[in-house]
Amino acid sequence: MNQDRQSTYSFPSWVDDLKPLLAAVGLGLPVVLVLLFWYGASPATTAVGYAPPQPVPYSHALHAGQLGIDCRYCHDTVEVAAHAAIPATQTCMNCHTNIRAGSAKLALVRESNVTGMPVPWVRVHDLADYVYFNHSAHVRRGVGCVECHGRVDKMEVVHQTQPLSMGWCLDCHRNPDAHLRPPELVTQMDWQPPAQMTRAAYGRQIREKYNLNPSEDCSTCHR
Amino acid sequence: MGVAAIDRRDVRDNLGDDPGRRAPLVLGKHDNATITDKVCRIVEMPKPPKAWYVAFGIALTVTGVLGAMLAYLISTGVGVWGLNKPIAWGFDITNFVFWVGIGHAGTLISAILYLFRQNWRTGINRFAEAMTIFAVICAGMFPGIHTGRAWLDYWLFPLPNQMAMWPNFRSPLLWDVFAVSTYMTVSICFWYMGMIPDLATIRDRTTSKLKGAIYGIFALGWRGSNRHWHRYERAYLLLAAIATPLVLSVHSVVSFDFATSMMPGWHATIFPPYFVAGAIFGGFAMVLVLAVPCRQWFGLKDLITPRHLENMCKILLATGMMVGYAYAIEFFISWYSGNPAEGFVFINRAFGPYAWAYWTMVFCNVATPQVFWSRRARQNPWIIFGVAICVNVGMWFERFVIIVTSLHRDFLPSSWNMYFPTWVEVTTLVGSFGLFFTLFLLFLRFLPMVAMAEVKAVLQKQHHEAR
Amino acid sequence: MPPLDPKSGGRALWRSLDDLAGDKAFQDAVGREFPLYADEMLAPSRREFLMLMGASVALAGMTACRRWPVENIVPFSHRPEGYVPGERLQFATSYDRNGAAIGLLVSSFDGRPIKIEGNPLHPMSLGATDPIAQGTLLQMYDPDRSTGLFERAGQGEGTPRTWDEFAVWAEPILARHKASGGAGLRILAEPSSSPTLLAQKKRLESVYPQAVWVEWDPLTRDAEREGARLAFGRPLRRHLDLGKADVVLALDADLFMDDPAGLSHTRAWARRRKGEDGVMNRVWAVEAGYSLTGASADHRIPVQSALVPVALGRIAARMLRSGLTLSAGCEGLREAIERFESHAFDDPRLDTIAADLLAARGRGAIAVGPRQPAAAHALAMALDAALGNSGNAVTYADDPEPARPGHLEAIAKLASDLSAGLVETLVILGGNPAFDAPADLDLAKRIGSVSQTIRVGLYDDETSSLCRWQLPEAHYLEAWGDARGWDGTAGVVQPLIEPLYGGRSAIEIAAYLAAGAWTPGYELVRTTWSTRLPAAGFEKAWRRVVHDGIEAGAAPALTPVFAAGWGGEVARLAEARQLGGDAMELLFAKSSAVHDGRFANCGWLVELPDPMTKLTWDNAALLSPSDAEALGVKAIGDLVTMSLPGGSLVLPAFILPGQAKGSVTVNLGWGRSRAGRVGNGAGVDAYPLRTAASLWRAEAKLARTPGSAMLATTQDHWVVDTLGRKEEQVRAEELIRTGTLAEYRAKPEFAREMVEVPHAAPISTYPIEYNGHKWGMAIDLSSCIGCAACSIACQAENNIPVVGRKETWRGRDMQWIRVDRYFEGDPESPGLAFQPMTCHQCENAPCEQVCPVAATVHDHEGLNVMVYNRCVGTRYCSNNCPYKVRRFNYFNNHKHETAVSMMVYNPEVTVRMRGVMEKCSYCVQRINAVKIPAKNAGRPISDGEVVPACAQVCPAEAIAFGDLNDPHSRVRALHDDARCYGVLEEINTRPRTRYLARLRNPAEGKA
């Protein structure tokens, strides 16, 4: 073939210098992929930290934390039903008819108490609608509130602390030990196992005692 | 002098089977330069012939229609097709298997015939491979769009995800994903590998800077040096070795979609070989459908000679009878197995509501190729073309018959039903042809449709032997 | 059932929604009303969200911000005592249909009634219901219901009004009628068994002595009443106890699904079909159309309806000859009966029937259908008495309203009054007389001629369009009331929800007409019951009744004495002649779907396949194969014209094997013009052919008309060629394994040996042990009557969509449990077998292996679970399912739901989006609803605690469900029963649902 022809294209010499670049890309690609999936699992996408403003500036830090009101005083159906009911206005008024009865912050609550229209709380922990989570099934087995909801007793405004993703659920269902505690202490936010004992070790005892074997069946959560 | 003499003699035909001499595979007065000219002219002509524009226009329009159909399908739901229970697969999977089948000949020709040193492959392997790739593209589309929630298809790939879920590796559909994508990848590599020297040739001939640059980049700086040739040959051999098992594996895996199921009419161990034979059958038919007109229009009669066509006709005849054997053995087994459900499916195929489809299939795939027993038929382009078309129709119906007639009357008579494709399905099928020909026409326009380098190699041998 | 505080249960939970009809506003309201299920209700956004979710799970990371819409939780302001949000509550109530009630339990989620079940305490229900009773739930949520008051001047849609405006209009008129003693006042009502309404009726009669209360029922059962009047000189109610009957002769009578006591009949009959200790009852059916009773009968003789009395007469004659003596008062019948001997019609099997009945003296029953003349009923009563069946299987009780004139007589009188101009004010309480009254009375036109017409109805229908006022009626699930079962058992009707459209009940309206002022229904009902219940401790007794739904105690049985001198009537029966040539008898029948037409807009029912024809969305002229051939009807859907003196009708034909030669059946209630978006134009209206003279049977000429209609069946789509038919016969025998009692006695395990099952043990590399629960189902084909109540129960429980005629025609019907129907034998007089078919939960499931994304997998209790949110919709599983019980959402099937109709969804079950496969889950939500509380309480689950919707509703107790690992469970016992076999076991699917072979008890051991 006539290489001398003017139009003949040949790679310029600097192309050779690109070889290391090629190598870099080859090596870098896996790293990029890893980063991608890491980002996919990061709070930015799993709604961790989601803290919507509530219509009433209710402080869990104050009520559950400082005043030490038990979770179940308000969320009273948590042990018997799938849903941990949001308290009725009535429940607030039990105390607030006397305490801070005139507080401006409570205006909406008082109004609701009179009109009978509910307070439109904003949902924080929101699972997909095809997921059927049952509070009683977990609380009665010694899974503490804190495991999923975090230190609510320290939250001025409630926010999501866990990804609540399917993988996250499965992690616990596969090895629950580190998340178990005596069922009667589920609402104790700062509970620790007895000294010189790891949570896993203690949780193991609980699991064996109550014969807990968390299911990984699809039908457990999806119907 | 002598050379000329040989040439003159060979101009007439290369069909003689003189045991003494290997029949020449290039006709006419040809040396390397003329071959290069012949092939490159097609790519280099400033404006393609009107016919090309017309054909491309039509193909592109039909492709557009395909796009519209897909949009309609995905925005509305699979219900726009005529599927129902029990017939949950119809045209979609039929077309998939049909196109995958077409996609077989290419790699077979390039890989297996290469390993078997069948030199006559050189005339046709390039566009056969192109055909393969375009056919596999069409094929790959259908499993993708046949799902109810196509936007979730990526769940079929083993990607890490927040659900901590992997796909189900027991499912033949998943095997398809791997088989077809592997086949696709290897075919493309193979095709491209083979093209590098020819791309370099075009690069060297072209006068336009742009073309030069584009072809140049794809030629990867080929200089035709000894070392280049040496490595090229090695790589080509290796790829051929890799591709060969794939030829068998892909369609075997596709056949598993049916063979591993419970359905009478699907649940058969003969399927893998039966499907592979069928695929080669259909693939060669499609090669012929493309080759016959191409060699006419682009004046490639010297490179794609009557002998090439004749050889392919022989393959058609052979594979056609293999397929026919499969049809027969299916019936035998359905009776021999003593499985009543199985037995009924086949009786129902031949004499039930879809008998017309079954007999169309048998006629096209078994009866028509028999004309190739006659030498004259093997050498008459018109007959060849006609039979090839027939075979393609037949092979499409084979898949239709396997899928629909098996499903429409399965175990419980209470759920028996009929399947009537909607206009959307028909249009989608036509559209897939549009896509195929669009790509193929682009290939004809911009890439060397005959493997010049390899033909030249054959030519050298031919001249050498002639002396 | 928690005791219901009428205040909270009836009111406090509820705000009226009628002012919130507007969609957006309504949805907000819903959001506020049903806190935790706001998302369930707002399904459209929810489905988009599902899609979004699906698409974004693994793509997580591409989108930074929160992916789904902000959602509010709206708790009660004051939560009622002991109320747990999001938990299922059940309330007892009763449903009155054509003047006979069945007891119900209605499940309610956060105040939304979502499921209707039978009340186990109610003798007319025994825990079961029929399809129609369940359909009433969807009827209540029907967005096409009358949404308010309308006043019409002449034609047109009328102007919206308020109740006050109505009162302003009505008061002077009522006052005038009071003055005139109500001379010009007529009240046209549908039959009702409500004691309270009866009380209001009495009040009205006292206030307006001249006024007339007319009662009309298009499906009237007066024939039997008149028969009793003939035989005993006074109207009586006849009750059957099939539990006491060894031999039952059903003459043109469907004792199961076309009978006010059908559910109890079914239960009693089914309990005697098990063949245990080698005894079974035997049913003879002599009928024209194929009824469910005929299908379950051991012998069925297809006979033109007109000849059924002749058949009875001949049987009677045989029995007399073989020495039966008629009881006192009936001697006069003898020579009347002997006249049948000379009748042209005869059938050798009639002798066998006679012999069979004689052999079972005192242990038999003769039932005659409502289509037959009074004299036939009377004759049957006489024979029952002679055979000593009266007092055993057959009993009599007083008619609750002996003074009531016959329905036909009453409406005819009204028609004549109307044309005579005697009527100033016509009040129409319910019903739809303009649509369903006998055509020759021309009621539609005559109603239009009255100036002051008040219509109280659920729908703004054909009748409303002719009336000046359309008042929205409160659905029985929305209002207080009471009702009596056919046997007289009284129960309370309590509301589950505030009237969606501000309707008021017939009781309240009637009371208003009488008093001129509104009294809440609750007060009215309480007042009535204060007289029924002991004054001492009334409150306690009342609460008990409301809680249980019934006040125990049926009407007392009595032994009537025969009147004399009605032989002539019977003798006249012998004059019936057999029709032939081109003249055929046209039979009008109740539709198993739309009843008398009132359910024409209920999607569930309209799409429920007819048990016999498997026809949906249409009615048709049912022809016997030979008649079809004679007429040149080749395929179903071919059009035929029926010509009667009164007019003619073109409608599609359906070839029904077993239809009596020379008789054609047409279902009533179809072809509505003002039913709503579902019912309009579905089917053909046969009422125009129905005259007072020929209420049930007319003589018609049929002719083939060019053209044919698209009929959507769920089985036998298209004409199945002879090849297929033959194969169908062969397979049906293996699918529905049938044996006679004799065969069963000789070899109890005959069914198991009909098909060889090669695989002894499961072949698996990874054998799975089911150590915990092992759920299984057993379906007894011997007692299944094919009523398809299970299909509707499942549809309601699992949010199964209605797909419409075209989709059904395509073969995309969605019911998770279908009832397969196979004919056997001679097409002119075939046998019929039913087989409920749903997911078999195969332990070795073909569907699971082929799903590429593992969307259908096995769980550790052996459930074959379908994970909708994982499904990508390759439909491979459906292809590979040998039972074809998987259902695919080819489109977004919930697209057409409105905010109201979506309230019927069961929040415990995901609403499936487009492109997703779905199927029976053994009601996994019900399993979990029992399992979790049980585990919380640390107690084991006892047998019968977990009941899937289909098993719960079955009137025949044919479906058993439970834990196969529990050695004492009923399902375990049934799986070990000799009759038990698995369908397609031979392909090693190892189904968890197994069937019990069908037993028949033909006379002389042969069918």
Side-chain angles (χ1 to χ4, degrees), chain C residues 242-306:
Chain C
L242 295 187
K244 292 188 183 149
D246 293 352
V247 177
V248 179
L249 171 58
L251 297 156
D252 199 4
D254 182 355
L255 300 170
F256 297 153
M257 279 300 132
D258 185 9
D259 191 297
L263 294 170
S264 59
H265 288 167
T266 310
R267 177 69 53 92
W269 168 84
R271 288 205 166 152
R272 306 202 45 188
R273 298 299 288 183
K274 316 278 183 212
E276 286 147 358
D277 51 59
V279 288
M280 266 170 84
N281 58 7
R282 175 176 302 130
V283 177
W284 294 85
V286 180
E287 59 185 12
Y290 221 137
S291 75
L292 282 174
T293 305
S296 313
D298 300 285
H299 294 278
R300 177 177 178 275
I301 309 176
V303 172
Q304 288 179 12
S305 170

Side-chain angles (χ1 to χ4, degrees), chain C residues 137-224:
Chain C
L137 179 66
L138 198 62
Q139 182 189 41
M140 185 195 68
Y141 288 120
D142 187 344
D144 294 341
R145 270 176 62 192
S146 173
T147 53
L149 294 83
F150 291 96
E151 184 176 9
R152 279 194 179 75
Q155 292 304 320
E157 279 312 296
T159 41
R161 295 270 188 247
T162 66
W163 286 102
D164 300 337
E165 286 167 323
F166 168 70
V168 171
W169 177 86
E171 264 150 25
I173 293 167
L174 293 178
R176 233 182 310 117
H177 282 301
K178 254 199 204 73
S180 67
L185 178 62
R186 295 288 183 280
I187 295 151
L188 172 52
E190 57 186 338
S192 162
S193 65
S194 161
T196 305
L197 188 62
L198 196 60
Q200 307 317 315
K201 189 176 161 187
K202 294 250 162 17
R203 275 173 75 189
L204 278 161
E205 279 160 0
S206 62
V207 181
Y208 312 99
Q210 324 282 10
V212 184
W213 180 291
V214 180
E215 189 177 292
W216 163 245
D217 177 4
L219 304 176
T220 178
R221 306 185 69 86
D222 276 349
E224 181 177 295

Side-chain angles (χ1 to χ4, degrees), chain C residues 365-430:
Chain C
I366 303 174
V368 183
R371 226 187 260 110
Q372 294 302 324
H377 287 269
L379 176 56
M381 292 169 185
L383 293 175
D384 269 330
L387 287 163
N389 299 339
S390 304
N392 298 317
V394 182
T395 54
Y396 298 89
D398 275 320
D399 186 282
E401 285 178 86
R404 168 177 76 80
H407 289 134
L408 191 57
E409 180 191 340
I411 191 116
K413 179 74 172 62
L414 174 69
S416 62
D417 288 2
L418 283 167
S419 53
L422 301 176
V423 184
E424 294 166 37
T425 310
L426 177 62
V427 183
I428 302 174
L429 290 178

Side-chain angles (χ1 to χ4, degrees), chain A residues 46-49 125 146-150 159-165 168:
Chain A
T46 52
V48 168
H125 301 89
V146 70
E147 304 295 340
C148 307
H149 296 287
H159 63 268
Q160 186 175 326
T161 58
Q162 301 292 341
L164 306 184
S165 68
W168 174 82

Side-chain angles (χ1 to χ4, degrees), chain C residues 39-68:
Chain C
D39 44 8
E40 280 289 343
M41 323 286 311
L42 311 175
S45 60
R46 178 173 180 287
R47 277 191 307 280
E48 287 153 22
F49 158 68
L50 275 180
M51 195 189 308
L52 229 149
M53 262 315 278
S56 52
V57 261
L59 283 180
M62 308 310 148
T63 54
C65 63
R66 188 176 155 82
R67 292 190 305 273
W68 48 86

Side-chain angles (χ1 to χ4, degrees), chain B residues 74 79 81 83-86 88-89 92 146 148-149 152 154 162 168 171 257 262-263 409-411 414 422, chain C residues 54-55 57 721 731 810-813 820 850-852 871-876 879-880 884 887 890 913-914:
Chain B
I74 290 168
W81 290 347
L83 304 172
N84 57 26
K85 76 179 157 51
W89 284 351
D92 46 6
H146 95 292
R149 302 199 290 176
L152 295 180
Y154 66 89
Q162 61 83 30
N168 173 16
S171 168
D257 284 345
M262 300 281 297
M263 299 327 288
R409 286 183 176 178
D410 67 333
F411 292 101
S414 59
T422 63
Chain C
V57 261
D721 51 358
R731 295 209 190 162
R810 271 245 182 245
R812 296 171 181 172
D813 43 299
D820 289 351
V850 297
C851 175
C871 178
V872 299
T874 67
R875 306 184 297 288
Y876 199 170
N879 284 341
N880 209 25
K884 288 289 174 285
R887 301 285 179 264
Y890 279 95
M913 75 177 293
R914 149 164 71 105

Side-chain angles (χ1 to χ4, degrees), chain A residues 19-91:
Chain A
K19 285 180 183 149
L21 179 72
L22 206 66
V25 170
L27 296 174
L29 208 60
V31 181
V32 172
L33 286 174
V34 170
L35 287 174
L36 189 67
F37 285 108
W38 173 81
Y39 181 68
S42 74
T45 50
T46 52
V48 168
Y50 175 60
Q54 299 291 350
V56 178
Y58 174 84
S59 160
H60 279 83
L62 173 64
H63 293 80
Q66 295 174 36
L67 303 176
I69 301 173
D70 188 287
C71 310
R72 286 164 294 193
Y73 176 76
C74 300
H75 306 289
D76 56 349
T77 67
V78 71
E79 287 178 310
V80 297
H83 303 273
I86 301 299
T89 314
Q90 202 177 17
T91 317

Side-chain angles (χ1 to χ4, degrees), chain C residues 942-955:
Chain C
S942 56
D943 187 38
E945 254 191 291
V946 184
V947 189
C950 55
Q952 192 286 329
V953 76
C954 182

